[in-house]
Amino acid sequence: MPATVASSASSIPNSRIRELAEVAMSMDGVLKLYFGESNLPTPDYIKRAAQKAMADGFTFYTENAGLPSTRKALARYYADLHQVEIDPSTEIVVTASGVQALNLGIRCMIDPGDEGLVLTPAWPNGSANIGMANGVVKQIPHVLSGNRYEIDFDALEAAVTPRTRMLLYTSPSNPLGWVATDADQRHLLDFIRKHNLWLMADEVYDRLYYPDGPARTATVPSILKKCTREDAVVVVQSFSKAYCMTGWRLGWLIARKDLAARATQLNEFVVSHAPSFAQRAGETALLWGEMAVKEMLLRLRENRDFCLAALSKMPGVKVPKPEGAFYLFPKIEGLTDSFAFCKQLLMETRVGLAPGVAFGAGGEGSVRICYAAEMQILEQAMARLSLFMQSR
Ligand SMILES: Cc1ncc(COP(=O)(O)O)c(C=O)c1O
């Protein structure tokens, strides 16, 4: 018998965002709104910090949990931003990206055959990572109530079995832009306490929060403010989005001590640790990044409002106003094959969007638009999309 790839590996589906992007990358002149990143480069002060770190000798192995100075900087950041106390020596693991934090955390929660609940539509990597741990994914779609997405707690209750180990939610959400309220988070905590589950909160977009009205300048609700340090809660985080550092591969986990210790140990066998000089640069990002984050929010708010106004004029398009992240997820009337739609749109207009089907249950029938690009690109993309929609 020839050697074969393990069925547990071959059963992991392709990322359909990637699939579309690969077609787009082979073409010229595409307006790229399919990936979750802005086209702004990493700010110079962060690049300089990495150069200095290399010059200062941060080119060696570090601790599996990350440099103590990076963990201390993260603890300080949480104290300033959310007024919560996190122990840098036992509750923080620096990872080589947000997706690696997801991977490590899930690996510590799921045994083969265990079940993980995932609130969807969601970035596919969470479900894929449960599959990679030989777990079974149960996706529970958000429900649209008026102009706001809500968590379907009845469906969550009905989905729990003796094999259920965890619940993953993303707030602010990719792709919905939905943000869990304080009440939502309290309800999620009650739910996991009642069923003895792990709660994994993907807060990678937590700095990209721009509600309207009196809460305009509020800090995003975080689960860490509501749970105790004994709760089975894990937060996944990243430097990618808030600091334009997607290519650096730097993130972190906040977790209950026992899981953090296990994740630290397992990290040795995966990547050992995040790159040393990137960790140092991350410290500088946390320390000096506030002004740039605020500027980015102003720009994103404008971009969101521009795209929302453009979409509202297109026939058969329905889109709730999101409060966070940098995505719009319009539902298109009568659409049953979002991949085919995105491919046709790409071929005919060179606008690259992500198909809703990529985001699991509740995603088909929509497309995801990342509005973190420059206004000039968004203007062209919306004009082309509008013509395309009129011609359908
Ligand atoms: C919801 C969500 N979580 C985690 C990540 C991981 O980010 P990174 O691996 O770049 O740190 C992403 C990236 O798009 C994301 O959208």
Side-chain angles (χ1 to χ4, degrees), residues 224-288:
L224 291 170
K225 259 189 118 140
K226 284 143 210 122
C227 66
T228 70
R229 296 286 85 85
E230 276 69 51
D231 273 316
V233 168
V234 173
V235 170
V236 168
Q237 260 291 9
S238 170
F239 287 82
S240 285
K241 315 290 173 175
Y243 304 108
C244 303
M245 291 174 71
T246 48
W248 293 63
R249 316 314 298 135
L250 190 63
W252 70 92
L253 267 181
I254 308 284
R256 199 176 71 188
K257 288 185 178 60
D258 53 343
L259 190 139
R262 214 34 97 182
T264 301
Q265 182 212 343
L266 295 195
N267 216 14
E268 167 64 19
F269 309 117
V270 187
V271 285
S272 300
H273 59 79
S276 329
F277 48 87
Q279 293 186 55
R280 290 292 284 173
E283 290 171 34
T284 302
L286 295 172
L287 203 57
W288 301 113

Side-chain angles (χ1 to χ4, degrees), residues 5-16 19 103 124-137:
V5 173
S7 59
S8 56
S10 342
S11 65
I12 306 299
N14 261 345
S15 161
R16 305 222 66 199
E19 215 177 300
N103 179 278
N125 296 33
S127 291
N129 267 292
I130 294 172
M132 279 174 22
N134 292 302
V136 178
V137 179

Side-chain angles (χ1 to χ4, degrees), residues 91-110:
E91 293 171 338
I92 301 179
V93 186
V94 180
T95 57
S97 74
V99 67
Q100 203 234 328
L102 261 179
N103 179 278
L104 264 189
I106 288 171
R107 185 65 190 76
C108 292
M109 296 172 189
I110 292 278

Side-chain angles (χ1 to χ4, degrees), residues 16 59 64 74 104 144-145 180 196 231 248 254 268 278 354 368:
R16 305 222 66 199
T59 56
N64 291 136
L74 283 165
L104 264 189
L144 189 55
S145 166
N196 287 320
D231 273 316
W248 293 63
I254 308 284
E268 167 64 19
R368 188 190 71 178

Side-chain angles (χ1 to χ4, degrees), residues 12-60:
I12 306 299
N14 261 345
S15 161
R16 305 222 66 199
I17 312 172
R18 247 307 140 193
E19 215 177 300
L20 202 285
E22 266 161 25
V23 181
M25 283 180 201
S26 67
M27 297 165 60
D28 288 328
V30 173
L31 303 175
K32 299 181 192 123
L33 309 184
Y34 43 76
F35 279 153
E37 63 185 349
S38 98
N39 48 3
L40 293 180
T42 306
D44 283 340
Y45 73 93
I46 302 177
K47 292 186 199 158
R48 279 197 300 273
Q51 286 158 359
K52 178 165 184 323
M54 281 191 219
D56 288 348
F58 285 89
T59 56
F60 296 99

